[in-house]
Amino acid sequence: MKAPPIPVPAEAGELRSTRPRRRRTLAKVPIYLMLALGAGFALIPFIWMVSTALKTPGQLFKFPPEWIPNPVAWTNFGEAWDALPFGAMVLNSLFVTTLAMVGELSSAAVVAYGFARFHFPFRNALFLLMLSTMMLPWVVTLIPGFLIWKQFGLINTFDPLTVGALFAWGPFYIFLLRQFFLGVSRDIEEAAIVDGANPVQVLWYVMLPLVRPVLLAVAVLSFQGNWNNFKGALIYLQEPLTRFTLPLGLQFFQATLSGGESPRWHLMMAMSTLMVIPVMVLFFLAQRQFIEGIQLGGVKG
Amino acid sequence: MPRIEWYAETLLRYAFVAAVIVGIMLLTYRGLVAVGVRRQTATGFALILPWFLGFLIWNLFPVAASLYLSLTNYNILQTPDFVGLANYDRLLNQDQQFWASLRLTMAYSAITVPLGLALALLAATLLNQGVRGVGLWRTLYYLPAVLPAFVTALLWRFMLLPTRSGLVNTATEPIWSLFGDNAPRWFLDPDTVLWGFVIMSFWGVFGANTVIMLAGLKNIPRDLYEAADVDGAGILPKFRHITLPQLTPTLFYLLIMGIIAGVQIFDIGLFVRVPRENFLNVYLYQQGFTFFNMGYASAIAWVMLVIILVLTLAVFRSSQAWVYYESEARR
Amino acid sequence: MHSGLMRIAGLTAAISLVATACASPGATPSRGAGASPTVAGASPTVTAAPPSQDAATPTQPAAQKVTYRLTTWAGEDESNELQELVLDEINASQSEFEIVHEPAPADYYTKLQTTLAGGTGADFMWLSQEYVAGYASRGALLDLTEPLKAIDSPAAAVDRYFPDVMSTALYQDHVYGLPWISQPVVLYYNPALFDAANIDYPDDTWDWDTFLTNAKALTKDTDGDGTPDQYGFSASGWPPVHMFIWQAGGDVISDDLKSSPIDSPEAIAGAEFYKSLIYNPECCPTEDTIAEQGFGEMFKAGTVAMFMGGASDTFESADGTVLDIGASVVPMGPTSRTTFAWTGSTVVNSTVENPELAVKALVALTDGIQHWKIVSPNMDLATKEVVTASLPDKWKDQKGPQVEAILASTSDMRSFNVIPRQQEWDDLFWREFQDKLYHDQGTAADLAAAARTQLEALLPE
């Protein structure tokens, strides 16, 4: 049975019922109910987060809990935004994320192509080796990694967060892309080679367009990962404030806010909401490709 | 403006490194071909070079370095002091906190992974019943996975407060009073900390797993079901003999990923205050970065690595028995 | 395990943050008399500096001015104050060096570790008292003993510091840092709640019994729902239990750093008194309530009548109103009225360039900070005039009346005896003793005896 690598038709695999239409629809009501329950579970914390972000401290601990605060404290967002050079941080985050994404994508594509289409000794062993690096706890590599960058004098620059991407540091992306390359029919590829294309051209003009959904998925995942990258920024970005990326700026602010035992929840939630918006916007825009990419990775895995 | 300088400098070095990598790739190719290696092989090696270089520098060296460090006392500020297996001895024989953290981490993984898979399977099956707006449902379910761990931890810390402003306890109050128990105090009570983490983390990844599982379901060829229908099979047998076996590759993938992520869980543990033990990775972090015991922390890291390897190997081995690949039809 | 340390770290950070509020931005530097040439009011400073700067620069090539990097845990507000009130002045008036501030309010000590490890550590660093011994013993800090002797400035006069505060910056009798603040813990109270309950304000006649009785009397269920809405006092890991152990005549680490006598009868008495307070709904909020609302916040919100805080703590309500808060010395214990002195020092990286100049810069920096913070660790500056003068306008009404109690506390204040492995010791002390004690997992005597051996294993040989 062939399993095409590109979006699967929706009907395959459904448990089709043979009962009359009306009863089928009725039977689906409990299904919708359960689905709604699950969706509610997923959504409610988000709503609560935004709701809390709009409360004043006095409203935070009211009982019973209020969903829509009255009055709405839009100023929390203003307060959160003004407290730090968020504008600069957003730009820094964008810069770092873009460079890292481009680096990750291109190097992952190249390496995946190598693993997928070419035979060489130790190929499988090397591939497994690559996979196994996913199991390395980051703390193992933290200090030695830091020392390496220090040798090059690149602490407190954006380099550790971006240049490293050129070395295909995302085993998962390589894995995913390889799976898809494996699924591409060889005919087109061979036609291109016969026409005199070198491997790079084949990759660029033939392979990549055929796996566009995955590329997009990897791109969105990569964006998400780099945008939210906190540990890297914490270690490598030191001063001044205008050099920080968003997650680090957020932490800075958190430390300022959480005096004593409990954080100032309303401001924390306001900040979190602000920070999460870009990723969510991106997600909504690209969700179809994104989700299909994830799905297919799971299938191929 | 200073910021433009920073960007420019990094960009320059970025481009330089990219050029160097490409250069090395070309050289490798030419060099290999020159010594008579087949073009295919040479190209293959050249293409995987970026990863391989990265592996040497960012994986192999640090791993070797950390293995060495685990055999020393190293406080970062002074040169390491070789102590042989002393760290491992102390870790495995005398460190109660290590074992407590390990128990918490393994319990967490043992609960979260299967629970996540089972419920994701349920949700995916539901979604696969020809419901309308599958795309919308999928998006809604996936949404929690988009948040950074930091935000998720804070949000749930707030929602799981055992006081009246804690959404979860307030909303589920009828259940607790029904059982005559006090509502759990989640992160304030050492016995319920585990469940707090399970809920928090489950919320975060449930949707992602569902989406993957759904794809797996959709990939099952329809004619298998139709053949079963012809034979008069009911829903449950169809599930048992068609759906599950066909899903095993997906389950396998999710299981491996789940184990790796579960044992290494860190971010959410770091942002929540717990009364006693935290996750193993957080304990490691504390040993290395709060107590200056980098050597000891490296030993913990290696133990963690071994655990992950053992578990994944076990799953890999067992997969021969229960994972069914279309391409290797056993029937 | 994480939480004990976090508590102390978080609370020391909190105190330092609150400490900054005593000199809010916008307040012109109305400092007391001191060695800093920038005193004497704002305008003379401003007009004086540029000419000397202009005069200086032509004679010196720009490259000569050494830049020193200072790293602190200061959050946004404190950073701004540090810059405006201290650093700008120093940099404007000094020709040989300038100091640049690099704040790291999140995971400060982690950053410190990694930067020191990577050789990119800052030149000057703030260390809370529990850290100096550790870093000094590992060779990370510059020995300041000799260089300080060559500098003539109040901030360099080591013997003019409160001895119990200066001791935190010593390691094996050598000076490794200069304290820039010494905050004795005082008892703050909400006069309105006392008036409503018809109880006299706390004063120096109070002892443990009076304190406990009144705390209970001030804990009320005002809306009749079965749970208290107002509490007499609040405690969690703060104030440090050490304070009460000292007041009872015991200690947790002996002065010679050779033992941890936490199972002595005196220490047990202190610990048990603390236990009778913490999380006890008769007088204090429960753990859950504190996790939700923060006991500092509760005090500011007027739901808690008494709070033990550092001398420079300031209190304003959520909407920014300056509150009416009184201060008194802490209640008298069985043998003394010892209170805890929160202190931090600025230390110098042992790899700093031009050590002599660095120490000079350190002294200038310390002097500046000592004029900004309440209370200066320098005994000569711990006077009513200096402290009152350094109060920013916003807080004059609130803290002015508190100065007396604050200064009275300085004669009873002391700090911890610190060992190099202090962080591990603190973690163990919390986890194996305090946490278990407060959660009813054993008697103080049993827990102390069990924990003592483990604690003593961490003491230096």
Side-chain angles (χ1 to χ4, degrees), chain A residues 115-126:
Chain A
F115 273 122
R117 279 295 195 242
F118 295 86
H119 291 285
F120 47 91
F122 305 117
R123 184 182 70 160
N124 288 334
L126 283 173

Side-chain angles (χ1 to χ4, degrees), chain B:
Chain B
M1 258 208 303
R3 271 217 327 284
I4 304 288
E5 261 171 37
W6 304 335
Y7 293 165
E9 284 173 4
T10 300
L11 264 173
L12 228 64
R13 288 188 287 257
Y14 185 84
F16 176 68
V17 170
V20 165
I21 294 179
V22 171
I24 298 183
M25 284 166 72
L26 278 171
L27 276 174
T28 314
Y29 177 73
R30 299 266 167 79
L32 285 175
V33 167
V35 294
V37 173
R38 274 178 45 209
R39 290 241 316 245
Q40 254 243 342
T41 314
T43 320
F45 273 126
L47 284 177
I48 66 165
L49 213 45
W51 164 73
F52 193 67
L53 285 174
F55 170 75
L56 290 176
I57 305 175
W58 308 111
N59 291 134
L60 196 61
F61 168 67
V63 163
S66 80
L67 182 61
Y68 168 66
L69 285 179
S70 75
L71 302 172
T72 67
N73 278 339
Y74 180 48
N75 62 33
I76 295 188
L77 303 172
Q78 297 168 310
T79 52
D81 170 33
F82 190 77
V83 292
L85 294 173
N87 287 335
Y88 290 101
D89 176 51
R90 182 179 142 204
L91 189 64
L92 300 173
N93 296 326
Q94 295 162 22
D95 192 345
Q96 290 168 333
Q97 262 196 295
F98 165 71
W99 289 107
S101 293
L102 183 61
R103 268 196 298 272
L104 179 69
T105 310
M106 298 312 290
Y108 165 82
S109 303
I111 297 175
T112 322
V113 176
L115 184 70
L117 286 182
L119 287 178
L121 182 56
L122 174 63
T125 311
L126 289 176
L127 281 173
N128 205 27
Q129 298 304 307
V131 297
R132 303 251 290 272
V134 178
L136 178 64
W137 290 112
R138 255 185 346 199
T139 307
L140 286 178
Y141 276 69
Y142 192 78
L143 223 44
V146 162
L147 286 185
F150 173 39
V151 174
T152 307
L154 279 178
L155 185 56
W156 278 95
R157 206 173 123 196
F158 183 47
M159 292 200 303
L160 288 176
L161 280 175
T163 55
R164 296 187 310 191
S165 64
L167 191 63
V168 171
N169 276 4
T170 313
T172 54
E173 163 109 43
I175 305 182
W176 308 116
S177 39
L178 197 65
F179 286 104
D181 279 334
N182 286 325
R185 292 170 66 229
W186 305 115
F187 293 120
L188 278 113
D189 177 357
D191 298 327
T192 52
V193 164
L194 172 65
W195 297 103
F197 279 128
V198 166
I199 295 177
M200 180 201 291
S201 143
F202 174 76
W203 180 78
V205 302
F206 167 66
N209 286 352
T210 304
V211 163
I212 293 180
M213 202 80 82
L214 183 60
L217 281 178
K218 286 202 191 293
N219 211 37
I220 301 175
R222 217 171 75 198
D223 33 358
L224 287 179
Y225 289 111
E226 281 167 6
D229 278 338
V230 164
D231 286 346
I235 297 197
L236 268 180
K238 276 196 275 197
F239 189 78
R240 249 191 81 205
H241 295 289
I242 303 178
T243 315
L244 268 186
Q246 291 284 325
L247 263 186
T248 46
T250 312
L251 286 172
F252 174 68
Y253 166 75
L254 286 174
L255 191 58
I256 296 276
M257 289 296 159
I259 291 177
I260 295 179
V263 178
Q264 287 191 64
I265 190 79
F266 176 70
D267 289 41
I268 58 175
L270 197 59
F271 296 117
V272 175
R273 292 187 189 158
V274 293
R276 276 211 300 264
E277 66 272 357
N278 204 318
F279 293 118
L280 195 53
N281 220 349
V282 178
Y283 179 55
L284 192 163
Y285 183 81
Q286 184 196 38
Q287 280 292 336
F289 291 92
T290 318
F291 297 160
F292 301 81
N293 293 337
M294 211 47 217
Y296 195 63
S298 303
I300 299 177
W302 271 86
V303 169
M304 206 191 300
L305 183 55
V306 166
I307 293 176
I308 294 178
L309 276 174
V310 164
L311 285 174
T312 21
L313 263 169
V315 175
F316 260 98
R317 281 284 161 78
S318 79
S319 74
Q320 311 242 359
W322 59 276
V323 180
Y324 171 79
Y325 284 109
E326 189 69 48
S327 43
E328 311 154 17
R330 286 184 307 153
R331 276 186 266 150

Side-chain angles (χ1 to χ4, degrees), chain C residues 281-433:
Chain C
E282 288 179 31
C283 54
C284 292
T286 60
E287 202 178 359
D288 297 1
T289 315
I290 294 180
E292 176 192 53
Q293 300 178 36
F295 60 84
E297 324 299 323
M298 288 176 76
F299 182 64
K300 293 188 223 180
T303 44
V304 168
M306 294 186 282
F307 178 75
M308 287 193 188
S312 49
D313 285 0
T314 53
F315 307 94
E316 58 183 338
S317 65
D319 58 6
T321 333
V322 173
L323 301 167
D324 177 28
I325 303 283
S328 145
V329 292
V330 296
M332 176 87 178
T335 54
S336 71
R337 200 193 287 279
T338 316
T339 185
F340 174 59
W342 190 92
T343 178
S345 298
T346 315
V347 297
V348 181
N349 195 325
S350 55
T351 62
V352 74
E353 161 192 335
N354 198 338
E356 268 150 36
L357 184 61
V359 179
K360 208 170 142 202
L362 175 70
V363 170
L365 175 67
T366 307
D367 193 61
I369 302 181
Q370 287 178 357
H371 280 92
W372 163 40
K373 299 281 193 185
I374 296 173
V375 173
S376 165
N378 187 319
M379 293 191 285
D380 300 323
L381 293 176
T383 63
K384 189 159 182 191
E385 296 73 33
V386 174
V387 174
T388 318
S390 70
L391 292 176
D393 297 324
K394 179 175 181 187
W395 301 109
K396 271 201 156 51
D397 291 332
Q398 182 186 88
K399 295 208 71 75
Q402 298 172 350
V403 172
E404 208 179 301
I406 290 174
L407 288 175
S409 305
T410 56
S411 47
D412 288 309
M413 68 180 180
R414 62 159 283 199
S415 32
F416 299 136
N417 291 333
V418 178
I419 57 174
R421 292 177 78 177
Q422 191 62 43
Q423 284 68 51
E424 287 183 76
W425 193 99
D426 285 337
D427 182 67
L428 198 69
F429 185 52
W430 176 264
R431 216 170 5 97
E432 293 298 324
F433 181 64

Side-chain angles (χ1 to χ4, degrees), chain C residues 102-337:
Chain C
E102 298 175 0
D107 282 326
Y108 175 72
Y109 289 105
T110 305
K111 263 276 179 69
L112 210 57
Q113 287 256 56
T114 47
T115 53
L116 283 173
T120 57
D123 302 302
F124 302 137
M125 305 163 273
W126 275 4
L127 290 182
S128 159
Q129 59 183 277
E130 307 94 327
Y131 288 89
V132 178
Y135 280 106
S137 70
R138 290 169 186 115
L141 307 180
L142 188 68
D143 186 341
L144 306 171
T145 328
E146 292 309 316
L148 280 176
K149 291 185 183 163
I151 300 180
D152 178 25
S153 157
V158 168
D159 49 346
R160 294 309 304 157
Y161 283 71
F162 288 102
D164 282 309
V165 170
M166 193 64 214
S167 61
T168 62
L170 301 176
Y171 177 66
Q172 295 182 341
D173 293 324
H174 284 246
V175 181
Y176 283 95
L178 285 182
W180 40 266
I181 193 176
S182 63
Q183 293 195 61
V185 167
V186 298
L187 181 65
Y188 290 107
Y189 60 90
N190 184 328
L193 295 181
F194 274 79
D195 292 337
N198 221 345
I199 300 181
D200 289 334
Y201 300 153
D203 60 19
D204 58 7
T205 64
W206 278 36
D207 63 8
W208 281 9
D209 290 327
T210 348
F211 178 66
L212 190 55
T213 316
N214 286 328
K216 289 184 179 173
L218 284 159
T219 304
K220 301 185 182 172
D221 175 13
T222 49
D223 59 8
D225 65 354
T227 50
D229 308 283
Q230 176 188 306
Y231 300 91
F233 182 60
S234 67
S236 61
W238 174 269
V241 68
H242 308 57
M243 222 171 93
F244 298 92
I245 293 181
W246 296 335
Q247 289 183 357
D251 207 338
V252 299
I253 294 183
S254 58
D255 289 337
D256 61 4
L257 304 183
K258 297 246 183 285
S259 65
S260 276
I262 62 173
D263 53 358
S264 69
E266 298 83 15
I268 303 279
E272 282 180 342
F273 178 66
Y274 199 73
K275 166 138 176 67
S276 70
L277 286 171
I278 190 172
Y279 304 148
N280 178 359
E282 288 179 31
C283 54
C284 292
T286 60
E287 202 178 359
D288 297 1
T289 315
I290 294 180
E292 176 192 53
Q293 300 178 36
F295 60 84
E297 324 299 323
M298 288 176 76
F299 182 64
K300 293 188 223 180
T303 44
V304 168
M306 294 186 282
F307 178 75
M308 287 193 188
S312 49
D313 285 0
T314 53
F315 307 94
E316 58 183 338
S317 65
D319 58 6
T321 333
V322 173
L323 301 167
D324 177 28
I325 303 283
S328 145
V329 292
V330 296
M332 176 87 178
T335 54
S336 71
R337 200 193 287 279

